[in-house]
Amino acid sequence: MSGLTPQAVLIWSSAPILQLLCVYLLYRRKLLKQFAFLASYLLFLTLLNAIRFICYREFGLSSWTYFSVYWVGTALANIAAIAVLYELFCAGFKPFAGLQDLAKIVFKWAAGSILCVAFVVFISNSASPAGAP
């Protein structure tokens, strides 16, 4: 594979740099304990981006390896994003103790509903015949 243009290198490297900067700022402001899922999520995305870049350089954009790494990584990142949203949601409602309990219940039901709908869509797409539109 030929070398990347400076613009491509900038695009590939900008997200991990910004993610690591966010983790550093969480560390500096002593918020890592409060936002542990967020920091872990950002580190996971940085690692995932590095793996994707290696697969892109070694196997190419249209390879099965890159395809698999991309979609499995995206699925894991989306699942982890729900945990991050829950963590931020709880932190936002912390001053309102009464609403926090209700909000946690509603959030859990909403997250469960989203996962159920995603599962049904996944099953319906994989069950359709290969030639069907």
Side-chain angles (χ1 to χ4, degrees), residues 9-40:
V9 171
L10 179 66
I11 290 170
W12 273 102
S13 61
S14 62
I17 290 170
L18 291 173
Q19 290 160 354
L20 291 175
L21 177 66
C22 289
V23 172
Y24 174 73
L25 291 174
L26 286 172
Y27 171 75
R28 287 278 298 190
R29 296 179 184 191
K30 297 177 178 30
L31 294 172
L32 277 180
K33 286 184 181 178
Q34 184 179 358
F35 298 110
F37 280 116
L38 177 61
S40 300

Side-chain angles (χ1 to χ4, degrees), residues 12 44 47-56 59-60 63-77:
W12 273 102
F44 172 73
L47 178 66
L48 181 61
N49 199 34
I51 292 170
R52 285 179 185 164
F53 182 73
I54 291 168
C55 289
Y56 172 73
F59 304 109
S63 71
W64 176 252
T65 305
Y66 181 81
F67 177 83
S68 300
V69 167
Y70 180 85
W71 284 110
V72 169
T74 299
L76 291 174

